[in-house]
Amino acid sequence: MIRIGTKEVQGFETRHNEALRALAPECMLFLRRTEEFPLRTAGRIALYGSGARQTVKGGTGSGDVNVRHFVTIEEGLERAGFEITTKNWLDAYDEVRRQAKPAFIEKIRQEAAALGRDPVTFGMGAVMPEPEYELPLEGEGETAVYVVGRICGEGSDRRDIPGDLRLTESEKRDIRKLAEEKEHLLLVLNVGGPIDLTEIPEIRNILLLSQLGTVTGDAFADVLLGKANPSGKLTTTWAPADAYQKIGTFGEEEETEYREGIFVGYRYFDAAGRTPLFPFGFGLGYTDFSIESRDTAIVDGVLEVQAEVCNTGNAAGKETVQLYYSAPEGRLSHPCQELGVFVKTKMLQPGEAEIVTLRLPLENMVSYDEEQEAWILEKGSWTIRIGNSSRDLKACCRIGLDSEAVIEKVRKVFGNSGFEDWTPAVSSYIYANEKTEVPVLKADAKALHGIGLFERNRLQEEAEQETLPETDAFSEQELAEICCGRFSDNSKKQLGDSGSMVPGTASESAEAIRLHGYGKLTLADGPAGLRLAECYALDENGSPVKFGIGSDSMVEDFFTEEDRERVYGAARKKEEQYRDAQHFYQYAAAIPIGTAIAQSWNPELAEYCGSIVAEEMEIFGVNVWLAPAMNIHRSVLCGRNFEYYSEDPVISGVIAGAVTRGVQKHSKCAVTIKHFAGNNQERNRMYNNSHVSERAFREIYLKGFEICVKETQPVFVMTSYNLINGTHAAEHKGLLEKVLRQEWGFRGVVMTDWTTTTNPGADLPGQKYGNSHPSRCIIAGNDLIMPGSPQDRDGILGALHGEDPEVTLTKEELNACVRRILAVSKKLS
């Protein structure tokens, strides 16, 4: 750990920002493009829109990062030599937003009062929609850039309203007018997820900038001037707001029904015969490519497809080749096609070609058969296609499977959803004029039988070879406290900011671990970088005193003065006491949001982002990063989708695995993949019951976690708040022991999300479901109750001593969790 006692920019900051600026264009993509862009030189430019000056670097909540400075689009253009001619418009729009904010806050307060709720907790994460406005479009220059900005975050979902999922009337009016009046117009989307662009079909140039962290404005200027070429692809389907599936429910207070089953995202659009605005996997750059399949073969149970990619345009660029498989019609209903594997080319110059090889183990194409309780491959002809989006593919071969192959038997553990999943009447999406004369590869079902069990046995053997520390020297109270994080009996720390040694960290391990000679675990939030306090001093005992108390709170807008005094009063008095002491600084880099990293379709880029975070972990004294977040984009309205990667589990698992590798190749740094599992909305997230079938849960919502765990062995897994068919995820032994540890071979530590066991929301009138019980979490294999409290410790001891009438905890169950925590503490110290 290094305490940085100067405010001067450090070398690692410069190095990391330069690297992020270089990789950020791979996360951008054009949705529409003409030859009007890139611009050849910087000049006078008319800049408009909510994201022009109030650029969004990332979402709110735990996904935010307190940076030294981040570059807005306005600043990035000026640094690149542009003269912005619309300063008056930008000033006026700032005033419009400033005036709209009090009315929005009052509206939230009134809604909370009507429900008898505390406005602070009710308003957590709430984001004001972009307001309507009437401002003259003054500004000279042949080129206009209009930036649509949207922000969302933890605690609140998006809404299907203007200013959020939809464009406002003001935005549509001005975008159309600029398209008519200006010689060149570029619409820039500074957003964390889809917005409905249905009503502006005439706009010819649309750049999905996304939210790229510290370097957002500089990276945009590089792309605008053609100094860098965007090469991203969508990881979520963009469609009219009314076109997304309504079969399942979303945003319900207590019960959420995943009736759509496995038909999520592009799987639904294909099955329902609906045409998206921009399909999954789509993206344009400054050049074009051709993709032609070459050799195909099955080698030792692995499909190998070689493809030649040629840059047919006039600029350098990268292309992503995507391989999809289509299952034969059989007993089970299947999506029309599913992503199997992908590969990104190197930077190709105009006219240059590259041969890439896509490898897909046949067992990765499995479906879960609830009747057999097994992963299977159905008999018949499987079609394999390659291309550069889910709607631009060509058949390259077919695989003939002579009989059904049972890859692995796995018991059902997730209970009954209460309904039958939706299935389409027919497979609606059909490739017109598809060639039928493609190579047919024969696959031997007998050779595939049981291959999953072989892999499971291998993973279990590796786990059994690890020797875990013994716990004989620990008292029962110490054992209970080790499973509860670090707390004190009179602690009044701010939620998500309770670290004692590194200011701004989320929590630490129990003191008992250190007293017995093991290293301390220091946990910092993510997933767009390290969420730390920017500035602090040390008191006479060497303990940090954080400055800027409450300035980064998700609920600050809804506090009264009494609230601020109650929550921050003591800390601010101490802050004032040390105002003249030596200051220390913790400026971390904000990497691109999760969705943007995934849009690169580049695991090497994702791994590099992870390594940047790990370097800063080492500098600031953090060894556990509470990221990556990898839940599925089930609905475009989920408020935390910006943290997550995709609607598809394959790209989610591959990118999360790459980030994990980047962090954990630094031997004293660990990730925490989250939120495990089925956390797909923010409304009443702690007490919402996800009704989901065994098949859909395994194929869609667990598959990405499975890929990440099996390929990279993350050190930590964090459980989600929600229930799964009536059982809290944090208390779900089937999820944590049978699936995560026994089926997948996970060897690390499981922790709860914060206040899973102690949140006061359980006491709200009419709340159907309560909090998780700390002892039930331990019994289920959830090792670490975070952030920990006296109530958690006492609850564990009560169940251990037979004093709890509802739950009994054995010493063996408690020891198992403690031993895993000690092993990880030793590894990371």
Side-chain angles (χ1 to χ4, degrees), residues 648-777:
D648 182 84
V650 169
I651 194 164
S652 297
V654 170
I655 297 299
V659 172
T660 298
R661 279 194 302 273
V663 172
Q664 293 188 174
K665 67 184 179 184
H666 299 251
S667 62
K668 303 303 180 183
C669 297
V671 305
T672 309
I673 61 172
K674 63 183 186 182
H675 307 85
F676 192 61
N679 181 81
N680 300 108
Q681 73 176 49
E682 288 300 284
R683 184 177 182 185
N684 199 30
R685 57 185 177 158
M686 290 190 163
Y687 311 107
N688 195 277
N689 185 18
S690 297
H691 294 262
V692 57
S693 70
E694 186 94 14
R695 182 184 179 189
F697 203 55
R698 285 180 175 273
E699 289 190 22
I700 302 297
Y701 301 100
L702 293 185
K703 179 61 69 174
F705 286 97
E706 179 182 3
I707 292 169
C708 183
V709 168
K710 286 183 174 179
E711 292 188 357
T712 64
Q713 276 294 330
V715 177
F716 291 89
V717 170
M718 180 191 291
T719 54
S720 53
Y721 288 128
N722 56 283
L723 297 88
I724 304 163
N725 294 329
T727 300
H728 278 286
E731 299 178 350
H732 207 301
K733 193 165 187 174
L735 177 68
L736 304 182
E737 286 293 341
K738 293 182 180 179
V739 173
L740 179 63
R741 289 195 170 98
Q742 294 175 20
E743 292 182 22
W744 300 351
F746 177 66
R747 302 195 297 273
V749 167
V750 179
M751 71 172 75
T752 70
D753 205 340
W754 265 231
T755 73
T756 290
T757 57
T758 57
N759 193 277
D763 298 325
L764 290 173
Q767 191 67 266
K768 183 175 181 179
Y769 299 107
N771 290 322
S772 297
H773 190 294
S775 295
R776 289 199 187 97
C777 293

Side-chain angles (χ1 to χ4, degrees), residues 29 96 181 220 265 310 345 603 711 747:
L29 58 111
V96 169
E181 294 182 352
F220 168 68
C310 182
T345 69
E711 292 188 357
R747 302 195 297 273

Side-chain angles (χ1 to χ4, degrees), residues 22-31 33 207-209 212 223 228-235 281-287 289 311 315-322 342-348 388 596-602 605 651:
L23 63 81
E26 288 203 48
C27 306
M28 303 182 213
L29 58 111
F30 280 100
L31 297 173
R33 187 188 73 83
L207 175 71
L208 175 54
L209 173 67
L212 304 176
V223 166
N229 191 342
S231 60
K233 303 287 185 181
L234 293 177
T235 60
F282 172 81
L284 303 174
Y286 282 137
T287 190
F289 298 90
N311 184 342
K318 297 183 178 182
E319 178 64 298
T320 299
V321 184
Q322 304 162 35
F342 58 90
V343 64
K344 195 164 189 175
T345 69
K346 67 180 182 179
M347 183 67 75
L348 297 176
N388 62 5
I597 291 175
Q599 284 173 179
S600 74
W601 292 64
N602 186 344
L605 180 150
I651 194 164

Side-chain angles (χ1 to χ4, degrees), residues 15 20 56 86 222 238 503 663 687 735 766 810:
R15 186 174 68 255
L20 290 170
V56 182
T86 50
D222 291 341
W238 282 48
V663 172
Y687 311 107
L735 177 68
T810 68

Side-chain angles (χ1 to χ4, degrees), residues 275-469:
T275 301
L277 289 175
F278 307 104
F280 175 84
F282 172 81
L284 303 174
Y286 282 137
T287 190
D288 299 306
F289 298 90
S290 64
I291 300 174
E292 298 294 337
S293 62
R294 293 294 181 247
D295 295 337
T296 60
I298 295 176
V299 180
D300 296 328
V302 177
L303 170 67
E304 294 188 355
V305 175
Q306 287 190 337
E308 183 177 24
V309 185
C310 182
N311 184 342
T312 60
N314 299 316
K318 297 183 178 182
E319 178 64 298
T320 299
V321 184
Q322 304 162 35
L323 182 150
Y324 295 76
Y325 58 89
S326 297
E329 292 187 10
R331 290 186 301 104
L332 303 181
S333 176
H334 294 281
C336 300
Q337 57 190 4
E338 298 181 76
L339 178 68
V341 67
F342 58 90
V343 64
K344 195 164 189 175
T345 69
K346 67 180 182 179
M347 183 67 75
L348 297 176
Q349 299 300 317
E352 185 179 7
E354 179 183 6
I355 301 289
V356 299
T357 302
L358 299 102
R359 295 182 175 88
L360 177 65
L362 297 184
E363 67 264 27
N364 287 9
M365 301 191 301
V366 290
S367 301
Y368 186 76
D369 182 358
E370 294 190 27
E371 183 178 325
Q372 294 191 68
E373 296 187 277
W375 289 105
I376 68 168
L377 289 171
E378 293 206 77
K379 173 185 177 181
S381 178
W382 295 67
T383 302
I384 307 300
R385 300 179 178 90
I386 61 171
N388 62 5
S389 87
S390 64
R391 291 289 177 103
D392 188 8
L393 302 169
K394 295 179 181 178
C396 63
C397 67
R398 289 186 173 84
I399 298 173
L401 191 62
D402 55 358
S403 64
E404 181 178 281
V406 177
I407 303 301
E408 182 181 7
K409 287 274 191 177
V410 290
R411 299 296 300 272
K412 292 192 289 188
V413 297
F414 295 112
N416 187 358
S417 66
F419 50 79
E420 293 293 325
D421 287 352
W422 176 78
T423 57
V426 294
S427 296
S428 296
Y429 186 68
I430 299 173
Y431 285 90
N433 303 316
E434 182 172 63
K435 64 179 181 180
T436 56
E437 296 181 1
V438 295
V440 178
L441 310 176
K442 298 296 184 181
D444 182 4
K446 291 182 181 179
L448 295 170
H449 278 304
I451 194 171
L453 179 61
F454 176 82
E455 174 67 8
R456 191 204 306 184
N457 290 338
R458 183 188 67 79
L459 293 170
Q460 288 180 345
E461 288 175 5
E462 290 180 359
E464 290 169 0
Q465 291 173 3
E466 293 189 1
T467 302
L468 299 178

